[in-house]
Each structure stands twice: as C-alpha cells, then as structure tokens.
Amino acid sequence: MSLIELRGASRTYQIGERRVTALEAVDLTVDVGEFVVVLGPSGCGKTTLLNLVGALDVASEGEVTVAGHHIVGASRGELSRFRRETVSFVFQTFNLFQALTAIENVQFGVDVTGRHREEPDRAMTVLERVGLQDRAHHFPHQLSGGEQQRVAIARALATGNPVLLADEPTGELDFRTGVQILELLHEQAHVGVTVIIVTHNREIARVADRVVELGSGRVTADGPPVGGQVPINELRW
Amino acid sequence: MGWLWLRWSWRDLRSRWVQVTAIAFIIALGSGTYSGLTSTSEWRRRSYDASYARLRMYDLRVSLAAGSFVDTAALSAVGTELESAGTLRSSAVQLVGPIQVDASQRGRTILVPGRVVGVEPVRNGPTVSTLSITAGRGLRPTDSARPVAVLDEHFGKRRNVGPGDRIRVSGKVGLTVVGRGVSPEHFILLGDAGTFTTEANFALTFVPIGTAGELLGQPGRANALAVRTRPGVSVTQARRALSDAFAAGFPDVGVTITARAADPGYRLLYDDIEGDQRLYNIFAVLILLGAAFAAFNLTTRIVEAQRREIGIGMALGVPSRRLAVRPVLVGMQIAALGAGLGVVVGLGVGSLMIQVLRSYFPLPVWRQDFQLGIFLRGAALGIALPFVATLVPVWRAVRVAPIDAIRTGVVTKRGRGLGWLAKIRLPGRSVTALPVRNVFRQLRRTVMTALGVAASIAVLLGVVGMLDSFRATIDHASKELGRSAPNRLAVTLATFDLETSSAVTTTRASPLIRRSQTELQLPGSVRRAGVKPIDLLVTISDLQSPIWHPTIHERVRGDGVVLTEKAADDLGVRPGDRVLLRLPYREGLTSYRYVEQAVPVIGLSAMPLRSLAWMDRRVGDSLTNLAGITNFVVVEPKAGVRTEEVQRALFGVSGVSSVQLVTDFADSLQKELDRAVGILLIVEGAVLLLALLIAFNAASISADDRARENATMFAFGYPLRSVVAMEIGESLLVGIIGTAVGLLGGWLLLDWLVTELLPTTLPDLQIVTALSGQTLLIAVLLGVLAVALAPLLTVRKLRRMDVPSTLRVVE
C-alpha cells in the first residue's frame, strides 16, 4: 500500500476577483522509502503539492491521504497532530529558531514528537549523523548556510517521522554544500524515510528514484530520471 | 517621485493598521493627557477669578475674638461710616456661630454639627460675599428674622436636603430650607482654625441675621464685618482705617482683620492650583515618557521591516536622503494621526477634570477656555515623538552597507549577547529557553517595552500610593483618637459658658453618660521669630485625663504647650524651646482680645493634623483668663448606650451647639477621600489604558517578529496553545522586568510626592508614605498579568496565519 496518495487533488485560490488554480486534479502515489523529486518551473504548483502532503494546506477538491490520515476534512487539531507525528520539513531558508543553539533546534524536533523521554540523547545522536557535533552549542547566526541547513535536516530527522518534505533545500547553498545536503537526504531514503524534494533544478532530479514533473498545476511526467539515476558525485550545476 | 513615496508610505501604514492605530492612540494618550493635565491651572484660575468677582467676595473681613459679640447696628455703622468716608464700597455685618443641625429626612437620621451664618437678607443677597443660589431661592428682605434658611450646597447636595425640607437646629428650633447655595467664603469647607471638614457632616446654614441672633442666643448682635474696598483704595489703607475704627468703637474687643488673599479657603483654592499643577505635570510627563518608549518601539519595527528594501534602494544607487523619505513619511503620518487624536483626548481629559472639580467645588462659574498654546505644545510633542522615534532607526538603516542590508536576516537573525545565555541550561523542553532568549536577543525592544510598562506602573503607584498615604494618615489619627474611650462624644457649646451653667451641668448629669470632662477649645496661632505663624486649635484640658489625652513624645518637665510633630518641624522647634502662642484672653463678660505670650513646648504629639495643640487646664486657664469657663465637654456614654441616643438626648439641651463622635472626623474624612480621588482616577484611567495599549502593541510586534518562527512551529505540528503559551512566557518576563522597574520608580515617585510636594500643597497634614498590599497587587496584576496575557489578543491573528506563505517570507 502507498504511504502517500493524492486522488484528483486540486488547489485553487481566490485572489480578489480572480480565481487562480495552483494545482489541478493531481493523482500521485508515493511508497515507503522512496526518494522523489518534484520538478518544475516557478509557479507550476510544486510547493503547493508539498504543502498538501504536509498538511500545511488543504486541497480544495480531491483526496489526500498520508500514512492512512485523510487530510481533507480533518480538523485543525488533527492536522496539527498529523504534522507532529507523520511529516517533517526542511525549508529553503532553513527557518531555524534564532534564539536556540544548533543542538536546541534539533532538540525541538525531538520534543515536539514527545520522544525526549524515550531517547534523551537523540538530539546529539542526530546532530552527529549530520556531522555537526562540534557546532552543537552555536547559534544559527554563528553557522554557515550549509551548516544551518544540516541543522534543519537534523531537526527534521530528530522527529523520527516517516515522511520528510524538503522545499528547495539547496536553493540558498553553493554547489559543494548542496551536494552534501543531497547526500544527507538521500541517505534517509535508505533507512526507510520517504523523502520528497521540491526543486526547479533538473540536475538534482538525476539522483532521484522517481521524478514527478509539474507544469501549470498538472503532472506532466512521472517516472525514473531521464537518462537513468546517477550517483550524487556525478552532479554538476 | 514624491507621490510614489507618499503612496508607498500610505500602504505601509495600511498594512499595519492595527499597530498604527494602537500607536496613534498611545501618542494621543500621551500628548492628550499632557495637554489636558497641564492646561488645568489656567482655566481653574480664570474660573476662580470669575466666581469670586461674580459673588463679590470680601476684600477684608473683620472677625471679633471668639466669644465676642457687639450690637449689630453699631457694627454696621462702622462700615457705613467708612463707606461715606470713601474708603469702602460696601460692607455687610454677619453673625457666625456653631450649631447642631438635625436634618433628618424621611426616616434618615442626619444629626451633624454646623455653623450658622447670619446675613442681611437684602435683595440679590448680601452686598458683600453674595450667595450663589443653586436650588430654590435666596434670602429676601421679607425673610428678616423668619425661620428660613439657605443650606450650603456641599451639605445639601450630599445629604439630599433642599428647598421645602425642614431642619432643626440647636434648641430644637425648626427652619424651613428655602434654597441651596454657596458663598464665596465657603467654596471650600473649612472647620475651625483652617482645619478640613467634611461636607456630608457639616451643615453650613445661611439665615437672616435676626434669625441667627435667636438661634445663637445673641439677639441684635453680630460678630463679623465683611467689606469691599472702593476702587483706588489699597487693602492696607482700608485695613488701617478699619483697625482705627474698631479701636475707637469697640476698645475692649479683640479683632482679626483678614484680607481676601489670607482667607484660608481662598488661599487653599489658589494654592491648590500650583500644587496640583506640579503633580499633574509629573504625571503628564511620565505618561508622555511611557508613550515615547512605546512609539519608539513600533516605529523601529516598521523601519526594520523596510531594511531590506532600503538596502535594495541603496544597491540601485538611490541617495540615502531619498530612501529615508518613506519611513519618515510613515512616522509623520502616525504623528499627525496621534497628534490629532491627542487634541480630542486632551479636551476629554480637561472635560473630565472640570466635571470632577465642579462636583467638588460648586463655583458659579467654570470656564474651560481652549488653551491653544498648551494644546499646540501637546500636539508638537505628539508629532515630535514618533518623528524622532522614526529618525533614529532610519538613520541606522541607511548607514548599513547595501550588501548587509540586502543579506537575508542580517538584522533579525543577529544574536548579540546570546553567547552567555547558551551556557545557561533551562529545565524542561527546548522551547522553554525560547522566551528567555528572545527577551535578551532583542534587548532594545525589551528595554523600550519594559520602560513603557514601568512608566505606567510608576504613575499608577504614585497616584494610588498617594491615596494609600492619605488613608494611612487618617488611620493613624483614628487609632490615636480611639486609643481610649473610642465612643466618647465631643459636646460643643454655643459659646463660652460657666462650668456651673445649666448647659454644662445638664449635659454632664445625663443618665446616659458614664463620665465626662470639661475642656476649652480655642482658635489661635503659634509662631517663632522669623517663621510664618501656624493656625492652631488649642485644646485646654487635663493632660492626664482618664477619658482620653494625647500621646506625648519627648516630654520635658514644666508647663507649656504640646504641639504636633508637624507643627514643631515647620516652626523649627523642639521640646524645651519657647514659641509665641496667640490665644483669646477674656477681658469682660463676653469680650475677648488676642494675646501673644511666650510659652515653652513641653512635648510632641504624633497626630497628623498640624493645627492641633494641647495645654494643661491649669496653664491654659491662666493664659486665657478662662478659669471656670468651658466651651467643650467630652462625654463617654455608659456601657450599652448607643452614641446616637446620647446625641439625641443632648441635642435638645439649650446652649449645646453640636454633639459629635470624636472619631467622626477621621471616619468622615476617610469617606470624603473616596470622593476626592476623582481627578486621580482620571490619571489612573489614562495610565491603565496606556499600559494595556503598550502591552498589546508589544505582543503584536512580537507576533510579527516571530511570524516565521511561529509558522515553523506550526509546520512541525506544534499546537497553537503552546505557541501562545510561549509568547505569554516572553511577555511575562518583559512584564516582570517592567513591573519591577515600575515598582521601584513608583516608590521613589511616591516618596518624593509625599515628602516634597504634599507639604507645599497640604501644609496642615503630616502625610506618611504608605503603600497598601492592594495597591501593590493591582500594580503587579496590571504590569505582570495584563502584559503577560496581552498575547491572547493575537490569537486570532495566529489562528488565521497563512503558514505556507509565512514560511517563505524572506526577511
């Protein structure tokens, strides 16, 4: 059974008197442990798709089911609980808590799911996994962009949730750092986390298990990368 | 180009309309309260001048020594002669004396002391010190010697006694109240020796002079002459002429000639203006300061929000001056809005002030002319506040290198000063650290918000603390008065009487009384060479009396006078020093003159009323030649007898003018205080509103600043209530800091008000600085709880947050 399932999912917005369709009748399924890249130009509905899966937004029409949770029609509290227990986010602009140190930001991910009682050292373990144990007590403004994004990934991983959603995670980073981040995200799929990355960078799509292309709010292509999957060290942008 | 900036700044304003409105109100409250409070002295002075002029207040008033009376016609002749001589414009005789008034109406028992003022019932009122009639009618020539009265507006209104009602005065004489009114000599009610009295418990009763003679047992006699000088004649000339005329006409009678400027009520009213104004100015400036901190806070935030756009402008080569135009225009628009609203608030404050004063002082004329200069100054401050508050962050923003200005998060992500905080491990979950860290991360904003709250709390503490101090002072007096025989009654006689007289013996022989003692209460004054005299009410009694005697500190051996600590301090004397005591001295059967004698101070009393003094009977009798004479009997009811029963029983005794519970004074003053707090309540209201607006604005700014962090939390499924709880935690910390600073500042302010300012405005009272637990609780509740709970006002905003859009905002 698929972990994520969208059936005829549409999202429209009313802007003044204008009705804008961001996503139109999208059908999509994603299995456990898949590494999926959603590709497309700006304004094609990539982020909207990610927001529907992450329950940050709710489809105007259709069905969205993630790990057995029906997103459409759920209450605010149910959506909040779903996000807490099922998905985690990595953002383009990191969105770290500026008043918390790296380890505390990661600890937030642990705390929010309530795992701090079961695994008191989880935050440091995860931070070690992203190679930042030496920067644990630094504040975000004391870290480089790449380090900040690694902290953000660690925070997302610390939740232990089965779905990791990343919106342009390399958008603010240089090539070398971007590759490091991709490696980190790619590793997660190997340990059973379903990873969905949204990007407009076609080069990144080459490392995905599956590429979903969007155009004007519709799925225009869905399958393995054109030319086949390549190792991350072959990427160039 | 100019229109673009204007439109742009207008959009900036609209995008933050809630905060802009709040800040405009804060500025309005600050500048408006400033204008309203600082403009009072001018319109109060004009109102007093006009009221005194309309009611033909006396220029000089001649009072015969206590207990002295002369023939009305002879006294009137002195005035008429001086009118003919061109010294006086007009004169009016009066007969004034103490009475007991039974104004009980429709089942309500109202038994109070009072004063009868016998005036000539001429058309349009007395020619000097005319009555202003507020209800019913005045006294007419046809009322001469009739049992009719005009009741003082203060008492009548408070006790709801007016035209058509009947009252009974000492000796059970019934009077019909034909009207209510106020005399310029009694715009403010004062008791003997300038002491305060309370309007609900003191019945000033104006009657035809013939009626007064009957009531006081002095038919055809008078004891005061009020005069107005002819234009061109100085008060000094008139005083000399009056002094000569009295010396010639009544050589055995002592007189006191009081100029209008020395009239206790007149002086108090005008002195109050200056004293009150100083107080209002302090409150106004503090409220303005609170508003300034709050204004600075928001405008800084608005400018910081534009920082990146300013950087883009700089990168595009736009001159700094031009870049500064947009935020400065926003500041100016807020300023204009705030200043405009400030005028409305100022007029509102003034209007509330006049209503409170009108209810307190029933003057016939109240003029609240628009004080253009003061309001312009207030508006200028209202404009300057946000304008200056805008300039500082704008100046800082345009000095940043373009590359830094464009870089994401250069300002908002700055975390100077956080390093040491990282070392502090807070218990609980990671987010428990966030409120504490945020407070220190944006230290300037925290300081500004805390100072705004602190200024409000300080004013609140100053205002309410003053009331606490008054209450503590009265409480102190009550305790001293009620130290022994707290149910004792003071029986005031209509005049000096022999201790063996019928009035005294009947009183003392009442079967309701357990024990009694006769005393003398004499108005006088005390001075020391080179120091202004102090009016006194000297009680001559047994200083070892088992019924009650004052607690005397620093007692020295010998005979002399016991002064209050306040009087001794003001005179600069200590026990053992000699003072010049001026008291009535009996010359004949009903004639007295004032005699000044050097008397040692033998001890001090802690009673807070400066005008009280005591002497032992043996010493006092010789100083006043009043041995065997009394005008005051203290009686203690038998066990189980109610004080009201004694009052009723003694009310009918001929020669008794009033019977009052000795602790009534303190009790009624306490009640009166609640009424006098009106003006302070206006200030308190403004302060409360300001504190709430500051708290709301701080929470609103905080919600904006934390929007992306809050959105991130929502994205991770952190519940709304937990996000709000975190914001409450942060506000709580700011509230605690602000309240702590405010409490300290408030205490210092209160101490200064009580020890420095009040002695100049209320010289007769020794106020002790006091702060009640209730006041502290209110201050803490307001400063901590209200500020802490202010984020609840942003719940709707958080609930409606567009999380995906907020997460993508590039700061």
Side-chain angles (χ1 to χ4, degrees):
Chain A
M1 189 185 161
S2 303
L3 184 69
I4 300 167
E5 195 170 345
L6 277 78
R7 291 268 167 260
S10 298
R11 183 67 174 105
T12 51
Y13 300 99
Q14 193 72 37
I15 302 172
E17 292 181 0
R18 207 159 58 95
R19 194 176 173 83
V20 177
T21 302
L23 216 57
E24 194 173 352
V26 169
D27 293 319
L28 181 72
T29 56
V30 179
D31 291 332
V32 174
E34 265 196 292
F35 186 84
V36 179
V37 168
V38 179
L39 195 66
S42 296
C44 71
K46 302 186 297 287
T47 301
T48 305
L49 176 66
L50 201 72
N51 291 340
L52 293 187
V53 173
L56 288 178
D57 201 355
V58 179
S60 313
E61 285 175 47
E63 280 289 321
V64 179
T65 310
V66 181
H69 297 278
H70 296 284
I71 307 301
V72 179
S75 69
R76 177 185 289 269
E78 286 167 343
L79 291 179
S80 191
R81 188 187 173 97
F82 163 79
R83 288 199 298 270
R84 210 155 51 232
E85 296 175 350
T86 312
V87 296
S88 52
F89 289 90
V90 175
F91 306 102
Q92 180 180 357
T93 50
F94 325 136
N95 288 2
L96 293 178
F97 300 113
Q98 299 300 315
L100 298 183
T101 59
I103 184 73
E104 287 166 342
N105 265 284
V106 180
Q107 184 65 42
F108 172 81
V110 181
D111 289 344
V112 82
T113 53
R115 291 174 192 271
H116 52 287
R117 290 186 200 91
E118 304 152 22
E119 298 177 72
D121 299 325
R122 183 176 172 81
M124 186 51 89
T125 308
V126 177
L127 203 61
E128 280 170 7
R129 269 169 63 192
V130 300
L132 281 178
Q133 64 273 23
D134 296 340
R135 312 285 275 166
H137 299 296
H138 287 72
F139 283 97
H141 72 276
Q142 295 167 322
L143 302 173
S144 69
E147 287 173 330
Q148 287 190 52
Q149 194 59 300
R150 278 151 73 186
V151 173
I153 291 170
R155 180 175 65 183
L157 295 179
T159 62
N161 292 343
V163 180
L164 196 158
L165 306 170
D167 190 357
E168 301 277 9
T170 59
E172 292 267 313
L173 308 173
D174 58 58
F175 168 73
R176 192 181 162 79
T177 316
V179 166
Q180 288 173 358
I181 295 301
L182 274 181
E183 277 174 342
L184 258 173
L185 293 172
H186 205 255
E187 282 168 25
Q188 305 318 310
H190 294 152
V191 292
V193 176
T194 302
V195 181
I196 301 180
I197 294 177
V198 157
T199 182
H200 62 274
N201 189 336
R202 288 196 166 274
E203 189 65 11
I204 291 173
R206 291 176 65 203
V207 301
D209 297 335
R210 187 175 152 201
V211 178
V212 176
E213 281 203 61
L214 289 181
S216 300
R218 289 172 176 274
V219 176
T220 54
D222 184 354
V226 178
Q229 192 177 20
V230 298
I232 288 176
N233 56 15
E234 282 188 18
L235 295 184
R236 292 287 177 274
W237 73 77
Chain B
M1 191 72 176
W3 282 110
L4 172 70
W5 295 108
L6 200 60
R7 276 206 306 273
W8 202 352
S9 62
W10 178 242
R11 283 177 194 154
D12 292 336
L13 211 64
R14 282 169 53 193
S15 67
R16 291 175 176 274
W17 72 270
V18 175
Q19 289 167 349
V20 164
T21 307
I23 199 71
F25 268 115
I26 286 174
I27 292 162
L29 214 52
S31 63
T33 310
Y34 175 86
S35 305
L37 290 179
T38 53
S39 64
T40 60
S41 59
E42 191 56 34
W43 58 252
R44 276 175 79 176
R45 191 169 286 112
R46 286 184 194 177
S47 301
Y48 295 172
D49 288 348
S51 295
Y52 278 118
R54 180 180 290 184
L55 298 185
R56 304 192 287 260
M57 171 67 170
Y58 69 75
D59 292 317
L60 289 166
R61 187 173 189 277
V62 187
S63 315
L64 306 194
S68 299
F69 301 91
V70 296
D71 182 66
T72 305
L75 191 57
S76 185
V78 173
T80 313
E81 279 168 24
L82 289 172
E83 282 173 39
S84 306
T87 307
L88 302 180
R89 178 181 0 194
S90 53
S91 62
V93 291
Q94 296 177 348
L95 175 60
V96 183
I99 48 166
Q100 170 91 339
V101 176
D102 180 357
S104 302
Q105 306 290 328
R106 295 169 284 274
R108 288 178 298 131
T109 302
I110 307 169
L111 214 57
V112 294
R115 189 185 302 150
V116 67
V117 181
V119 295
E120 293 165 299
V122 294
R123 183 176 295 278
N124 299 324
T127 50
V128 183
S129 298
T130 312
L131 290 174
S132 164
I133 300 301
T134 52
R137 66 169 179 86
L139 298 172
R140 296 169 181 159
T142 50
D143 289 331
S144 182
R146 284 185 58 216
V148 293
V150 169
L151 208 54
D152 178 58
E153 172 68 10
H154 298 90
F155 175 79
K157 195 173 173 189
R158 288 295 302 277
R159 294 296 198 164
N160 198 22
V161 182
D165 289 333
R166 294 271 297 170
I167 60 171
R168 289 184 306 147
V169 297
S170 319
K172 296 193 173 175
V173 179
L175 294 176
T176 302
V177 178
V178 295
R180 281 205 314 242
V182 64
S183 150
E185 294 177 26
H186 304 98
F187 282 154
I188 185 165
L189 272 185
L190 293 172
D192 293 325
T195 55
F196 284 102
T197 189
T198 55
E199 55 188 52
N201 289 312
F202 191 81
L204 192 62
T205 310
F206 301 94
V207 296
I209 193 163
T211 309
E214 297 300 325
L215 291 174
L216 297 173
Q218 302 288 340
R221 298 169 84 82
N223 60 0
L225 182 71
V227 305
R228 299 178 75 212
T229 58
R230 193 173 284 276
V233 176
S234 72
V235 170
T236 315
Q237 287 172 302
R239 180 192 287 271
R240 196 179 306 122
L242 278 166
S243 187
D244 292 346
F246 272 86
F250 313 103
D252 297 333
V253 179
V255 296
T256 302
I257 303 177
T258 309
R260 177 202 291 208
D263 179 89
Y266 181 93
R267 210 176 56 200
L268 202 62
L269 271 185
Y270 281 90
D271 286 353
D272 264 2
I273 294 177
E274 297 307 321
D276 288 350
Q277 194 58 67
R278 282 179 69 191
L279 191 67
Y280 300 157
N281 287 351
I282 292 161
F283 291 147
V285 168
L286 277 169
I287 291 173
L288 202 62
L289 268 179
F293 294 132
F296 196 86
N297 227 351
L298 179 74
T299 45
T300 300
R301 171 63 199 153
I302 290 177
V303 175
E304 282 186 352
Q306 294 177 4
R307 175 196 51 78
R308 200 153 179 271
E309 288 169 352
I310 290 173
I312 293 168
M314 285 157 75
L316 293 173
V318 181
S320 299
R321 276 195 318 279
R322 183 160 286 177
L323 287 171
V325 167
R326 185 178 144 217
V328 167
L329 275 175
V330 173
M332 283 181 70
Q333 286 161 17
I334 294 174
L337 192 60
L341 284 171
V343 173
V344 178
V345 171
L347 288 173
V349 168
S351 178
L352 285 173
M353 299 273 286
I354 216 163
Q355 277 178 38
V356 172
L357 285 172
R358 193 195 297 271
S359 71
Y360 202 49
F361 306 123
L363 267 58
V365 184
W366 279 107
R367 278 188 190 161
Q368 192 191 4
D369 304 333
F370 183 68
Q371 308 293 313
L372 184 64
I374 289 170
F375 273 80
L376 279 177
R377 196 168 60 196
L381 281 167
I383 287 173
L385 273 184
F387 192 64
V388 171
T390 310
L391 285 182
V392 176
V394 166
W395 181 72
R396 288 174 59 220
V398 296
R399 285 180 69 235
V400 174
I403 188 64
D404 286 334
I406 295 169
R407 191 179 296 154
T408 305
V410 70
V411 171
T412 53
K413 292 187 178 180
R414 190 174 292 162
R416 276 184 305 189
L418 274 180
W420 62 273
L421 269 174
K423 292 174 187 149
I424 299 172
R425 292 276 172 273
L426 294 165
R429 301 162 71 179
S430 55
V431 287
T432 54
L434 265 178
V436 181
R437 300 269 173 82
N438 283 334
V439 162
F440 289 95
R441 189 158 67 103
Q442 290 178 320
L443 203 56
R444 192 177 62 238
R445 204 190 69 191
T446 300
V447 168
M448 287 295 167
T449 307
L451 284 177
V453 172
S456 304
I457 297 294
V459 175
L460 185 77
L461 221 62
V463 170
V464 188
M466 270 173 64
L467 301 178
D468 284 345
S469 300
F470 284 132
R471 291 197 176 105
T473 305
I474 295 166
D475 193 41
H476 176 64
S478 292
K479 277 188 183 147
E480 169 66 1
L481 286 172
R483 191 168 38 78
S484 61
N487 60 341
R488 69 188 186 281
L489 295 137
V491 181
T492 309
L493 303 180
T495 184
F496 293 113
D497 221 339
L498 290 170
E499 289 185 333
T500 53
S501 70
S502 150
V504 177
T505 51
T506 309
T507 298
R508 301 188 74 177
S510 167
L512 301 174
I513 288 167
R514 178 184 164 217
R515 52 185 175 172
S516 65
Q517 101 183 14
T518 56
E519 296 181 353
L520 276 166
Q521 279 206 344
L522 303 172
S525 65
V526 63
R527 72 181 177 96
R528 189 174 66 89
V531 178
K532 205 173 147 190
I534 294 171
D535 289 335
L536 286 185
L537 183 67
V538 183
T539 301
I540 298 174
S541 63
D542 176 7
L543 289 183
Q544 303 296 325
S545 167
I547 300 179
W548 184 86
H549 61 265
T551 307
I552 302 171
H553 307 289
E554 302 180 41
R555 174 129 202 194
V556 295
R557 284 180 174 280
D559 297 328
V561 65
V562 175
L563 296 176
T564 58
E565 288 170 0
K566 175 81 166 96
D569 286 347
D570 290 352
L571 289 169
V573 297
R574 303 304 307 164
D577 294 344
R578 294 177 87 82
V579 289
L580 294 168
L581 192 63
R582 185 172 183 263
L583 285 174
Y585 186 89
R586 187 162 67 103
E587 294 276 296
L589 195 60
T590 58
S591 61
Y592 300 82
R593 67 184 169 85
Y594 279 102
V595 173
E596 192 173 70
Q597 297 166 82
V599 178
V601 179
I602 57 161
L604 302 175
S605 158
M607 279 290 281
L609 206 59
R610 180 177 73 166
S611 56
L612 300 180
W614 296 264
M615 290 179 85
D616 198 71
R617 189 80 213 228
R618 187 169 43 80
V619 189
D621 285 352
S622 66
L623 285 177
T624 58
N625 191 26
L626 285 166
I629 290 176
T630 182
N631 66 346
F632 200 78
V633 185
V634 176
V635 299
E636 185 186 3
K638 280 182 178 162
V641 174
R642 287 185 299 119
T643 51
E644 199 180 79
E645 290 176 59
V646 181
Q647 279 179 300
R648 284 247 170 246
L650 299 183
F651 181 67
V653 176
S654 178
V656 169
S657 77
S658 77
V659 185
Q660 199 178 9
L661 197 64
V662 285
T663 50
D664 264 2
F665 166 74
D667 289 347
S668 52
L669 207 58
Q670 183 96 35
K671 284 175 196 151
E672 198 67 10
L673 186 66
D674 294 332
R675 191 171 135 68
V677 299
I679 287 174
L680 295 180
L681 285 179
I682 295 170
V683 177
E684 195 180 348
V687 169
L688 286 173
L689 200 57
L690 182 68
L692 289 176
L693 280 171
I694 289 173
F696 168 72
N697 235 350
S700 176
I701 295 168
S702 178
D704 278 1
D705 277 359
R706 311 263 183 274
R708 214 148 70 104
E709 289 193 349
N710 291 340
T712 306
M713 288 190 194
F714 291 144
F716 275 84
Y718 208 61
L720 174 70
R721 61 174 183 280
S722 305
V723 172
V724 174
M726 245 173 45
E727 297 206 342
I728 286 176
E730 187 180 333
S731 292
L732 178 71
L733 287 172
V734 175
I736 289 172
I737 296 168
T739 305
V741 175
L743 288 179
L744 179 69
W747 175 258
L748 293 174
L749 173 69
L750 175 64
D751 193 51
W752 181 82
L753 290 172
V754 170
T755 57
E756 300 292 329
L757 187 65
L758 286 184
T760 63
T761 56
L762 294 170
D764 286 324
L765 286 175
Q766 183 172 33
I767 312 282
V768 289
T769 310
L771 211 50
S772 71
Q774 191 185 348
T775 303
L776 277 172
L777 189 68
I778 289 171
V780 171
L781 280 181
L782 177 73
V784 178
L785 267 191
V787 175
L789 295 180
L792 290 177
L793 299 169
T794 64
V795 166
R796 188 166 167 267
K797 195 174 183 179
L798 283 172
R799 196 187 290 277
R800 297 174 65 171
M801 175 189 275
D802 180 352
V803 176
S805 302
T806 312
L807 285 167
R808 293 169 72 85
V809 167
V810 177
E811 287 182 341

